[in-house]
């Protein structure tokens, strides 16, 4: 198993002093997709891509049926870790290599997918590739999404770091018969409970909002305090209202992860702020309650601070329950590998939320050391990484068998 070396090699692509920067359609992320294609080619697998930039590595089956699929993403957050996403893709490649080495062809093709832009690090629509694949976002609409650098996704796909050169582009977005995603937990629950394999029950729903706050820039020394329309003070009150709403509503999380002040100079009263809000819960009703509280708080701030506030939803993903039937198969595989395998909910979002719209999905977690993720210090113990690969391989083969023997394949 080469998973450690491969993850270490991928981690050099986009490495920064604090972590890894591998945003969609940038040079390091393009290089990561190229590296996957090279490793897949040396394993004798076929590779293609779709028009949304998702990359597919395939082990052919005895029959040309819809594939059993696994995957995750190669892009990272800013200063991200080496395992979020990349682990699920490379583990899938390792699982394919182990299956191929047995010399026994599965009945169905088995595919590993590197989904494009799960993190939304450059284009502010997370899971942009799997959302197009699942028909949640029309390709034309995704191509029109404007990145934080001003380039549209469509132009980025057409750029030298967009669609891979010399890799066939498949027609359409043919769905799999079943999908399983292996991922690090990204939280502390499994480590604290001594669990090495997690059978995911559901993925928390998430809503993201883009907020514009317009006040009045002016001289920091001469503008009287009375009547100021300080956009950053308004943004600060709104940010605290986001935090308070999540605390008060409970069983939910929310934050303002991104905030830009303009003109952003010491001696100018801030005239404009843009910020983005991320709200999550396994209970969609709580997300809606938090959104209402945020909008109510904004209305109060507008009155009190003489500013204008616009709040636009930019991503809405409902909470997603894993498929019961697949979950049972995954549970049997995981408990046969480690009797302490246990159920766990996912606070993090994943491409499985989108794929769930076109196929039954399941997820498997391995622990994150100290629960750290979305930071350069993200780590998972080598033994846990390898155990996860075995759980993924076992699940893929079980799906192939289970979905083959059962005439009702849905
Ligand atoms: O934000 C998330 O949950 C995921 O890492 N994109
Ligand atoms: Mn992530
Ligand atoms: Mn991820």
């Amino acid at each position: 198993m080469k998973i450690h070396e491969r993850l270490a090699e991928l981690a050099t692509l986009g490495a920064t002093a604090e972590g890894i920067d591998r945003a969609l359609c940038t040079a390091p992320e393009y290089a990561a997709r190229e590296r996957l294609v090279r490793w897949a080619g040396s394993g004798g697998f076929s590779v293609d891509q779709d028009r949304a930039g998702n990359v597919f590595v395939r082990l052919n089956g005895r029959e040309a049926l819809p594939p059993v699929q696994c995957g995750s993403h190669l892009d990272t957050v800013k200063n991200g870790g080496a395992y979020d996403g990349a682990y699920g893709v490379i583990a899938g490649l390792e699982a394919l290599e182990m299956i191929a080495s047995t010399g026994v062809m599965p009945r169905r093709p088995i595919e590993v997918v590197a989904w494009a832009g799960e993190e939304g690090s450059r284009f502010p629509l997370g899971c942009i590739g799997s959302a197009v694949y699942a028909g949640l976002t029309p390709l034309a609409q995704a191509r029109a999404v404007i990145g934080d650098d001003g380039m549209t996704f469509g132009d980025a796909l057409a750029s030298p770091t967009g669609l891979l050169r010399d890799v066939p582009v498949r027609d359409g977005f043919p769905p799999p018969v079943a999908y399983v995603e292996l991922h690090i937990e990204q939280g502390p629950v499994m480590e604290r409970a001594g669990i090495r394999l997690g059978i995911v029950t559901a993925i928390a729903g998430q809503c993201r909002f883009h907020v514009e706050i317009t006040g009045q820039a002016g001289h920091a020394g001469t503008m009287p305090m009375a009547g100021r329309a300080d956009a950053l003070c308004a943004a600060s009150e709104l940010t605290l209202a986001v935090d308070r709403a999540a605390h008060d509503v409970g069983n939910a999380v929310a934050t303002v992860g991104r905030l830009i002040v303009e003109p952003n100079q010491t001696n100018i009263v801030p005239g404009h702020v843009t910020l983005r809000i991320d709200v999550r819960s396994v209970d969609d009703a709580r997300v809606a309650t938090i959104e209402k509280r945020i909008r109510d708080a904004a209305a109060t701030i507008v009155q009190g601070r003489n500013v204008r506030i616009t709040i636009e939803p930019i991503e809405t993903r409902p909470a997603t329950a894993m498929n019961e039937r697949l979950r049972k198969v995954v549970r049997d595989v995981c408990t046969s590998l480690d009797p302490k395998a246990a159920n766990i909910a996912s606070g993090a979002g994943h491409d499985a939320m989108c794929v769930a719209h076109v196929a039954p999905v399941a997820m498997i977690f391995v622990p994150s050391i100290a629960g750290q993720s979305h930071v350069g210090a993200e780590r998972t113990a080598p033994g846990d990484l390898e155990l996860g690969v075995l759980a993924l391989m076992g699940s893929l083969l079980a799906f192939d068998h289970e979905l083959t023997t059962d005439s009702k394949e849905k």
Side-chain angles (χ1 to χ4, degrees):
M1 201 178 288
K2 299 194 279 284
I3 187 143
H4 312 291
E5 294 97 75
R6 283 175 164 158
L7 288 174
E9 191 174 322
L10 276 183
T12 63
L13 304 176
T16 66
E18 294 85 24
I20 301 169
D21 247 353
R22 223 171 36 223
L24 179 56
C25 293
T26 59
E29 189 269 337
Y30 184 91
R33 281 180 279 143
E34 271 187 325
R35 198 64 51 92
L36 172 66
V37 170
R38 188 191 326 156
W39 287 332
S42 55
F45 305 117
S46 64
V47 180
D48 68 357
Q49 58 189 335
D50 66 22
R51 297 194 191 294
N54 302 308
V55 179
F56 302 82
V57 177
R58 174 176 279 220
L59 166 65
N60 283 322
R62 298 191 305 276
E63 298 177 37
L65 292 165
V68 171
Q69 201 178 66
C70 65
S72 199
H73 57 95
L74 292 174
D75 69 313
T76 71
V77 293
K78 195 175 290 178
N79 296 332
Y83 302 90
D84 176 2
Y87 172 54
V89 176
I90 301 307
L93 180 62
E94 301 265 325
L96 250 57
E97 288 171 340
M98 289 195 282
I99 294 169
S101 69
T102 64
V104 178
M105 268 181 111
R107 179 186 176 203
R108 293 174 169 279
I110 301 181
E111 267 181 358
V112 190
V113 191
W115 299 109
E118 190 274 347
E119 294 292 5
S121 305
R122 179 181 178 191
F123 303 97
L125 173 62
C127 299
I128 197 165
S130 55
V132 170
Y133 175 84
L136 293 170
T137 304
L139 178 58
Q141 186 181 326
R143 290 174 57 86
V145 173
I146 299 173
D148 293 331
D149 55 4
M151 184 184 277
T152 65
F153 181 40
D155 288 347
L157 284 169
S159 75
T161 52
L163 286 179
L164 289 166
R165 286 179 295 282
D166 312 324
V167 171
V169 179
R170 63 171 55 180
D171 283 330
F173 307 99
V177 71
Y179 174 79
V180 54
E181 182 161 354
L182 174 64
H183 207 285
I184 54 172
E185 179 210 338
Q186 300 183 282
V189 172
M190 291 175 73
E191 183 180 61
R192 286 179 186 161
I195 298 166
R196 298 182 68 205
L197 286 175
I199 302 114
V200 176
T201 54
I203 303 172
Q206 52 184 278
C207 279
R208 293 179 185 168
F209 303 92
H210 180 88
V211 179
E212 300 269 347
I213 300 177
T214 308
Q216 177 63 49
H219 195 297
T222 57
M223 220 176 181
M225 286 309 286
R228 277 191 182 192
D230 185 320
L232 183 54
C233 287
S236 307
E237 286 182 348
L238 189 65
T239 300
L240 290 174
V242 168
D243 181 70
R244 194 166 44 248
H247 279 290
D248 293 352
V249 170
N251 194 16
V253 292
T255 192
V256 170
R258 174 191 166 97
L259 184 145
I260 295 171
V261 189
E262 291 165 305
N264 201 26
Q265 184 166 326
T266 310
N267 57 355
I268 306 175
V269 175
H272 192 261
V273 169
T274 52
L275 59 87
R276 289 199 189 133
I277 301 170
D278 181 313
V279 183
R280 311 194 192 196
S281 172
V282 285
D283 175 356
D284 291 332
R286 289 173 190 268
V287 173
T289 304
I290 290 170
E291 177 183 358
K292 180 162 182 338
R293 288 189 183 210
I294 292 170
R295 291 184 181 280
D296 291 348
T300 306
I301 295 164
V302 162
Q303 290 305 317
R305 289 200 170 271
N306 187 25
V307 295
R308 278 199 323 280
I309 298 179
T310 59
I311 301 176
E312 291 301 319
I314 49 177
E315 185 177 338
T316 304
R317 303 247 183 263
T320 306
M322 298 294 99
N323 176 276
E324 268 307 312
R325 191 158 150 242
L326 296 195
R327 230 177 75 179
K328 190 188 164 319
V329 173
V330 166
R331 164 172 284 283
D332 293 346
V333 170
C334 288
T335 45
S336 70
L337 288 165
D338 181 344
K340 287 186 69 183
N343 287 347
I344 183 168
S346 175
H350 303 284
D351 291 298
M353 299 172 94
C354 295
V355 182
H357 288 264
V358 291
V361 304
M363 285 197 76
I364 303 168
F365 276 175
V366 292
S368 293
I369 293 173
Q372 295 204 82
S373 182
H374 280 192
V375 291
E378 184 180 272
R379 292 285 181 280
T380 293
D384 291 342
L385 292 174
E386 294 184 357
L387 185 62
V389 175
L390 297 179
L392 179 66
M393 183 182 71
S395 300
L396 291 168
L397 290 173
F399 289 173
D400 183 42
H401 176 71
E402 167 103 356
L403 297 169
T404 298
T405 49
D406 179 341
S407 54
K408 294 187 306 308
E409 287 200 344
K410 281 294 160 211

